Structures are given as structure tokens and as C-alpha cells.
Amino acid sequence: MAQQQKKEADQSQLLKVRREKLDQLMQEGKNPFEIMKYDVSHHSQEVKTDFEALEGKQVTIAGRLMSKRVMGKASFCHVQDLQGTIQSYVARDSLGEDEYKAFKKLDIGDIVGITGNVFKTKTGEISLHAEVVTLLSKSLQILPEKFHGLTNTDLRYRQRYVDLIMNPDVKDTFIKRSKIISTIRKYLDSQGFMEVETPMLVSNAGGAAARPFTTHFNALDEDLKLRISLELYLKRLIVGGLERVYEIGRVFRNEGLDTRHNPEFTLMELYQAYTDYHGMMDLTENLYRYVAQEVLGTTTIVYQGTEMDLSRPFERITMVEAVKKYAGVDFDQIKDLEEARAAAKEHHVEYEERHKKGDILSLFFEEYAEEHLIQPTFVMDHPIEISPLTKKKPGNPEYTERFEFFMNGWEMANAYSELNDPIDQRERFKSQEELLAQGDEEANTTDEDFMNALEIGMPPTGGIGFGIDRMCMLFTDSAAIRDVLLFPTMKTLGKENQ
């Protein structure tokens, strides 16, 4: 306890010193927060990469002061910018007496600009010989010790800005995430898709099995929901004649937090007229290979030590085949609900009274098959009970033209041959509302405007939803979804133990 109190007292004193330094700068008319603009000519990595062309030439860099070693009349420091860090040699004879004194008063964490000539030290480190050092912003807080870094996971997520400063790998992850999303857009745009935006606040949150968040809109005195999916509005656009559309955006599901779930997450959905779920499988294979090659430079992904190969044709297996393969139960031989329940009891698969044969098949799949689907795999032909927006299989109406795409045992995408029969769709919605009445909070309700759109007429359409965050987890070897969300959902400080 005494050691902790001493540490807090030392910290308080250091913070006080920083405030005093700022007060002194203000008194001298050198307010660092008044600087409006600073012209940067190069970033750290650019200087290192182009050293041969830049050696002996003057450049200007800017960033955060991460280290400072004062040695009498000359000093060394490291400045960190977007691309990394670069060393600067700061000498009194080059800066002048007063400016060198000002440099020595700088604190770790201050934002500085340095103009100087590019050279290489005796130890071979590419550096700047500073001619001008400018304080661009004063840091009034203290960064974590560089040796220990910012290792407290909870604090890293709450103070992502510090995490980005102290952990270069974190910055690389989010730069890569940005590139993944821009590469997806590049691919889809090249395939004739049009990016659109649809409402986040909706009166009817449909298109997925999830519990929505609700809110109240004062101006209209109406309760609204945050969208759980992008589907129903994008299908309206297919009805309107926009034949290939996609949206990348946040959706919101009032569910739990774990390593693969966050209540708000990034979903991409796309819809293409005049194709089916086979077309969506082809698109998924091509998209994943393209993004991996562009972002990672390879079609082999290594996640937490497990290698996944995107270069080979992705496996295609029906849900019935997967359950037969991994659970030893053949649902083609199960005639009715009574037999399905008996099989579930025998294999210790828990179900609810409302569950039908198709629901129990899905529960078997989740229990026995999912974890084995490490290499890219399309699991096809889901039961109709869990697919309220999907076309039935011709000649086999218990099943639908739907697939889920799996990698690493995770569901990465969900796709359909979209249901465009308004009569069938109304019956499916009716079944969903019966489930809602029985207590299923994730069931859909009838969307009358969407029904009207279907009655106007929707062409045969293939559609798919991709979990962007999980894709980023795989491509950046990140262990948890929070590691690829800049600001993940956290419990409010002070309520952690409530």
C-alpha cells in the first residue's frame, strides 16, 4: 500500500511539473495550442525507404516524442508518426542556445515538428540532424513506461488512443482493417455493384434472428429500433431495379459480449438480381481470395497457429451431410419431430418445446459440426424453420437454398437464393409471429411495406451477409473481436462490479 501511495504521489508531482512547464510557455507567449498548421514533407518510413535519394537533404517530420537522451551539448530523441519512429540528433550548435534549452524541457508525449538533414549515424541508424525543433502540442498526461507498454487489456480498449501510441501492432491491425474494407469495395465496384446507404433507425427490425435495441423518437412520438440487418431495405432496391447493390455499415443486436460478439458490429450485405446462392458461393470464393492476396500478399491465412488455404476450391457440404459426418445422425432417415426429439435426447442436444425437426437439425449442426469446419467450407441447404426469407429447395420443400460460409469453425457469411414469392413470404412471417408470441424474442414480425415491395415484383436474386469484423480477425490474427474494433462496447466505469 505504501509503495502504491508513493507511486501515486510521484505521478501527481510529474503531472504538476508538466502543468508548470505549460504555464511558463504561456507566460513567454509561446502557447503550443495556438499553432494552426505545420507543413510536413515526409513520414518516418519514407525517409528510411528513400534514404539514398534523401541523404544530405532537408526534410520536415512531425509526431510524438517517444524518447529523449540529453548528453550536454547534444542529444538524441525518437519521434513517432503514422508510419513508425525515426531518430533525430539535436545539437546546441545547430539549434542555438535558447532553442536547445527549450528542447531539453520537452516531455515524452509532446507533439513536435523537426526540420533537419537526413544522415546515417556511426551505428548505421538513419536519422535527422535537427535544425529546427517546434513544439506543436503539449502533453499534460504521462504515457505508460515504454518497456512495459500498455498491457492492461481493459484499459487498452477504454483508452484506444494510448493503445495506438504504445503498441505498434495495434496500429498495424487497424491500418490493415481499413485496407480490407477498401479492397472489398474495390472488388465489388469492379463487378458492377453499387454502394448504397439504408436507414439505421427503423420501425420494424427484420432480416435476421436477433433481439433489437429500442429507442423513442420524440418528434414523431414513436418507438423505433436500431437495425439488426441490412436485408429488407436492400431488397427493396432490387425491386426498384438497382440490380447489384451492397452496403457496409453498423448493425445492432441486443445480445451478449464475447470474443466473437459485440452489440454493434460491421456487416456487409449485397444483393444481385438474376442469380442464386450458387452465384453467391462463387462471389464469396473470389472475394476472399482477392482480398487476401491484395492485403496479405498470399492466399494462405495463419490464425493463432492454424493454417487455412484459400487457393483451393472451397468445400461444399449440406447441413444434413455435415451432421451425418460429425454426429453420425442422418436426418434424411428421421421422418418426423418425434424421431428428431428422440435423437436429440440420445445425443444430449438440448431443445425447446417450440423447436421443430429443422430447428433440431440446426442444433445438432451447432453442437457437433461447426468446430470441425476449419478450412473454407460452404454449409448448404438449411431447414425451412430457420430460414424465413429463403427460397425452398425445388422438390424438397423442407429445406432452402441457403448456405453459411465457415472458416476456423466460425460462421463468416450467410447467403440465400432470396424468397421473392409474396404469398409464401407472408406465410413465413406469420410463422415467425407465432414464434414471437411463444416467447422467441429473436423472431421477425411482418413488414407490410416490404410485403408491398415483393408484390410489386422482385426478380430472382442472390444475397449474402458478411461479418466484416470476423474477417478482419482472421486476416490480422486477432484473438478477439475487440482487437479489431477501435472502440468496442465496454461497461461504464464505476459499474464493472455491479
Side-chain angles (χ1 to χ4, degrees), residues 249-488:
R250 283 291 174 101
V251 297
F252 309 86
R253 299 183 182 179
N254 199 349
E255 55 190 24
L257 290 162
D258 61 32
T259 56
R260 283 184 283 157
H261 294 89
N262 195 71
E264 57 174 310
F265 61 97
T266 302
L267 182 65
M268 180 182 76
E269 291 196 31
L270 63 87
Y271 293 84
Q272 179 180 341
Y274 312 113
T275 191
D276 62 3
Y277 76 149
H278 292 290
M280 292 296 100
M281 288 185 219
D282 294 339
L283 183 147
T284 302
E285 282 202 43
N286 293 334
L287 174 65
Y288 259 74
R289 287 194 192 109
Y290 178 80
V291 174
Q293 192 63 53
E294 289 289 308
V295 176
L296 306 177
T298 177
T299 53
T300 299
I301 294 173
V302 179
Y303 180 78
Q304 306 289 291
T306 299
E307 189 172 290
M308 287 161 270
D309 186 1
L310 296 170
S311 66
R312 296 179 298 184
F314 295 2
E315 183 182 358
R316 302 186 182 199
I317 186 172
T318 68
M319 184 176 281
V320 169
E321 290 168 344
V323 169
K324 183 178 178 181
K325 180 177 180 179
Y326 295 110
V329 177
D330 186 356
F331 268 74
D332 281 342
Q333 302 302 314
I334 291 178
K335 300 181 182 65
D336 53 29
L337 176 57
E338 187 177 341
E339 289 188 15
R341 285 176 170 175
K345 288 175 182 176
E346 182 183 346
H347 288 79
H348 308 290
V349 173
E350 295 183 7
Y351 63 88
E352 298 176 23
E353 277 300 310
R354 62 184 173 82
H355 284 147
K356 298 177 182 176
K357 176 185 170 184
D359 297 301
I360 294 173
L361 168 62
S362 178
L363 292 170
F364 262 93
F365 173 75
E366 291 172 5
E367 183 71 27
Y368 283 96
E370 280 191 6
E371 63 182 323
H372 298 287
L373 305 177
I374 304 301
Q375 296 304 316
T377 304
F378 295 118
V379 177
M380 308 180 296
D381 302 351
H382 292 47
I384 193 168
E385 291 89 343
I386 61 168
S387 310
L389 298 161
T390 314
K391 277 189 173 180
K392 296 173 185 174
K393 290 280 295 178
N396 194 357
E398 289 186 18
Y399 297 94
T400 61
E401 290 202 340
R402 173 185 174 187
F403 74 79
E404 289 174 299
F405 172 50
F406 281 83
M407 286 181 67
N408 194 51
W410 303 348
E411 179 201 336
M412 305 298 294
N414 184 25
Y416 314 149
S417 294
E418 303 295 338
L419 181 59
N420 62 344
D421 178 345
I423 298 168
D424 189 358
Q425 182 64 80
R426 187 172 289 280
E427 287 300 312
R428 306 274 193 98
F429 274 140
K430 184 178 177 182
S431 297
Q432 286 285 300
E433 290 192 335
E434 288 172 359
L435 291 173
L436 190 67
Q438 293 170 26
D440 185 353
E441 294 179 323
E442 296 184 348
N444 286 198
T445 56
T446 304
D447 186 325
E448 289 296 345
D449 183 71
F450 176 66
M451 289 305 309
N452 186 63
L454 283 191
E455 289 174 3
I456 294 290
M458 186 173 86
T461 298
I464 189 166
F466 289 89
I468 296 297
D469 303 313
R470 290 186 187 178
M471 185 181 191
C472 290
M473 286 174 67
L474 283 186
F475 280 38
T476 61
D477 197 14
S478 297
I481 193 170
R482 290 179 173 187
D483 295 325
V484 296
L485 299 174
L486 279 167
F487 300 102

Side-chain angles (χ1 to χ4, degrees), residues 21-22 24-25 28 30 65 68 70 72 75 90-92 95-108 110-112 132-136 138:
K21 286 181 180 180
L22 176 62
Q24 186 177 350
L25 287 168
E28 294 171 358
K30 299 175 181 177
L65 190 66
K68 187 178 69 168
V70 177
S75 303
V90 184
R92 186 187 65 181
L95 258 64
E97 187 83 35
D98 292 340
E99 293 303 315
Y100 187 62
K101 282 183 181 178
F103 167 78
K104 290 196 290 184
K105 291 180 181 178
L106 294 178
D107 290 307
I108 302 304
D110 287 349
I111 307 292
V112 299
V132 180
V133 177
T134 306
L135 176 61
L136 302 174
K138 184 71 185 165

